[in-house]
Amino acid sequence: MTDSIITTPDSPLLDVLCHELESRAAALDSRMTWPSEQLRWCAARGVNRWFVPLEFGGLGWSELDTIRGYLRLSAACLTTTFILTQFTSACRRIVDTENGAIRDRLLASLLDGSQFTTVGISHLTTSRRHLATPVMQAAETTDGFTLSGYSPWVTGANQADSVVLGATTTDGRQILVALPTNLPGVSAPAPVELVALTASCTGELRCESVLVGREYLLAGPAENVMAGRMGGKTGGLQTSALAIGLASAAIKFIAQEAARRPDLVAPLAEFQEDRQRIEIDLLALANGDSPCSNESLRARANSIALRATQAALVAAKGTGYVVGHPAGRWCREALFFLVWSCPQPVSTANLCELAGLESLNG
């Protein structure tokens, strides 16, 4: 089994996995069904273990190597890779919790792929925060908490065995729990149909007076539970990596067309140089350097994803507008980055660029 594990981002086995994912991406988009087979391939090749420390059964990849891996995977199949980032986000918080008992209970089955977890935290970061009443409330009890409400954007909500879920207590503090989805009162309605990535089964997770024991508590109650080690960065490097990976797929297609069409050579060179500059800054940030802010990078990654995918459609001409051609799918997928986990400074920067008000490359 170990000879099938991807141990570095340069492994030939990653090439094989990416080829397998890319070969199924079009069918996945057309069927809009959960990519269980693709996720099994990734787990079998150790992708679930990339970012987990060795002491917990992972491969101990650095942030830099993990981002390099996601760049490759997202160029092959954005839907599968997006689901993996939500899985990663949940697992990171399970790894980082001070509740060792819940980590020991969950982690092994998550890493081998026999169980799936995801996150329901957008309402604590970028979604529904303008509402006067928290959409997911937690009433503290002697033994734990009673959860009532909903989490609006949970990827794989109807597929998950557990969800790392955020909730707000009656006194305004917040908690994170590793919520088993088989508890009474937990439900996941049919996911909404999205413009793209519908196969990610992203939709609401609802709780109706769900009793959650304190043994499932990952963090809190705290004033801002996402501010510490449980937080991470909203719209952070993983999302930027996915946008750049999508742009890479589109630019690769333009390069194939440019081999026989001289009119594409100059635009191709500009796209390749722009993508390289953005990727260099991404990898520097992942390595702990600070060539730019995370928000600036995210805005530039969104921009090249939009521009490169539309350029691929132009290069494909009318054929690209036919259902099933990857250029049309890439264009739809690029829109995802304008709305998913997108902090206000990033939204503003992209809106200004679309209006022709300013450049993102400064």
Side-chain angles (χ1 to χ4, degrees):
M1 180 66 180
T2 56
D3 60 356
S4 66
I5 297 296
I6 299 167
T7 55
T8 73
D10 300 316
S11 169
L13 290 173
L14 183 53
D15 297 331
V16 174
L17 176 59
C18 287
H19 177 74
E20 292 171 335
L21 293 175
E22 185 176 5
S23 69
R24 301 292 186 92
L28 179 63
D29 180 67
S30 63
R31 289 198 306 267
M32 299 180 180
T33 54
W34 180 251
S36 54
E37 187 172 25
Q38 288 89 330
L39 293 172
R40 282 197 300 270
W41 295 341
C42 291
R45 288 168 172 78
V47 176
N48 293 10
R49 303 175 183 270
W50 282 357
F51 61 92
V52 177
L54 295 170
E55 63 189 285
F56 298 126
L59 296 175
W61 282 25
S62 66
E63 182 73 5
L64 175 61
D65 282 347
T66 301
I67 290 297
R68 290 176 62 200
Y70 281 132
L71 283 168
R72 295 286 310 283
L73 292 175
S74 56
C77 180
L78 186 63
T79 297
T80 301
T81 313
F82 167 57
I83 293 169
L84 286 170
T85 63
Q86 302 308 287
F87 172 86
T88 297
S89 181
C91 285
R92 284 187 189 275
R93 291 170 171 88
I94 293 170
V95 168
D96 288 342
T97 183
E98 295 181 359
N99 182 353
I102 191 64
R103 180 174 56 232
D104 293 342
R105 179 187 303 180
L106 294 177
L107 202 55
S109 59
L110 296 174
L111 298 189
D112 68 17
S114 58
Q115 291 203 349
F116 176 76
T117 190
T118 188
V119 284
I121 57 175
S122 66
H123 51 286
L124 299 184
T125 56
T126 59
S127 179
R128 305 298 197 275
R129 297 187 70 193
H130 61 285
L131 300 179
T133 303
V135 296
M136 183 64 73
Q137 301 180 56
E140 193 162 6
T141 67
T142 302
D143 299 323
F145 301 88
T146 300
L147 302 183
S148 299
Y150 70 99
S151 183
W153 299 109
V154 181
T155 296
N158 63 349
Q159 303 291 326
D161 300 285
S162 62
V163 176
V164 172
L165 182 69
T168 303
T169 63
T170 52
D171 61 4
R173 294 180 296 167
Q174 298 172 342
I175 62 171
L176 283 181
V177 296
L179 176 73
T181 55
N182 61 359
L183 289 180
V186 178
S187 64
V192 294
E193 185 171 350
L194 305 174
V195 172
L197 283 75
T198 293
S200 69
C201 294
T202 297
E204 288 186 2
L205 182 81
R206 296 178 182 173
C207 292
E208 297 182 15
S209 300
V210 176
L211 299 176
V212 184
R214 202 168 293 273
E215 66 270 22
Y216 295 106
L217 185 66
L218 295 174
E223 291 296 328
N224 184 356
V225 76
M226 301 294 289
R229 61 190 297 177
M230 289 286 137
K233 293 182 173 62
T234 301
L237 299 186
Q238 288 185 350
T239 311
S240 294
L242 266 58
I244 297 168
L246 176 62
S248 297
I251 293 168
K252 179 181 177 182
F253 173 80
I254 298 170
Q256 292 168 347
E257 293 295 303
R260 56 187 178 84
R261 293 171 54 188
D263 60 303
L264 296 178
V265 172
L268 170 64
E270 183 61 32
F271 276 120
Q272 290 173 326
E273 291 175 8
D274 193 15
R275 186 205 60 78
Q276 185 177 29
R277 287 191 295 266
I278 298 171
E279 184 174 315
I280 287 172
D281 284 348
L282 168 69
L283 297 178
L285 283 168
N287 199 40
D289 301 324
S290 302
C292 61
S293 68
N294 281 16
E295 290 78 11
S296 171
L297 179 81
R298 173 69 191 277
R300 291 162 59 202
N302 285 5
S303 173
I304 196 169
L306 288 165
R307 291 183 289 110
T309 54
Q310 291 181 49
L313 182 61
V314 172
K317 300 185 177 181
T319 304
Y321 203 62
V322 176
V323 172
H325 194 284
R329 169 167 53 86
W330 294 331
C331 286
R332 289 186 287 107
E333 289 176 341
L335 299 175
F336 166 80
F337 296 101
L338 295 178
V339 297
W340 182 262
S341 190
C342 202
Q344 190 59 48
V346 177
S347 295
T348 300
N350 287 137
L351 187 59
C352 286
E353 185 193 31
L354 291 170
L357 294 178
E358 61 184 56
S359 171
L360 297 173
N361 295 318

